[in-house]
Amino acid sequence: MWQYAVKVLITAAVVVAVSELGKRSSFWGALLASLPLTSLLAFIWLYIGTGNTQSVAALSQSIFWLVLASLPLFLVLPFLLRSGVAFWPGFGVACALTVGAYIGLMWLLERLGVSL
């Protein structure tokens, strides 16, 4: 039970740190947010929980492929916001396009024989 509490606290601390840094400097907030902290923490918790390096390797490879589908979000959202689209509609469109990118990537990876 204490491990779950530690995970929640670390996650909350990272989210708060990104938010606070982002208020002061978009660069430093973006730098912290761009670090694969979630993935690194997941690798640690998975290894501690299972001791299985093959599970960590499989998770790492799956994350690599799925990160590609998340990239459109970071291009579409700023484009929409700078084009005058309000935050919530722009956020919704960017998220919907990202979901589409995930579906498209999964389809492509299946055709290429890549299993996640």
Side-chain angles (χ1 to χ4, degrees):
M1 182 64 173
W2 67 269
Q3 290 176 334
Y4 178 76
V6 169
K7 292 176 191 177
V8 170
L9 288 173
I10 291 172
T11 302
V14 170
V15 170
V16 169
V18 168
S19 176
E20 291 302 313
L21 277 172
K23 289 177 187 175
R24 290 162 180 74
S25 165
S26 61
F27 172 79
W28 291 109
L31 179 66
L32 181 57
S34 71
L35 296 173
L37 295 174
T38 303
S39 299
L40 296 173
L41 291 171
F43 298 152
I44 292 167
W45 300 135
L46 179 60
Y47 182 73
I48 288 172
T50 66
N52 186 334
T53 57
Q54 293 306 309
S55 293
V56 174
L59 177 61
S60 178
Q61 185 174 358
S62 294
I63 289 170
F64 167 79
W65 288 111
L66 293 176
V67 160
L68 298 176
S70 70
L71 295 178
L73 174 75
F74 302 106
L75 296 173
V76 172
L77 182 60
F79 172 79
L80 292 173
L81 296 176
R82 289 184 178 128
S83 297
V85 177
F87 175 78
W88 289 113
F91 185 73
V93 168
C95 287
L97 289 173
T98 301
V99 168
Y102 275 104
I103 292 168
L105 180 66
M106 295 303 296
W107 176 85
L108 179 62
L109 290 177
E110 184 178 313
R111 299 298 177 275
L112 295 174
V114 176
S115 62
L116 300 181

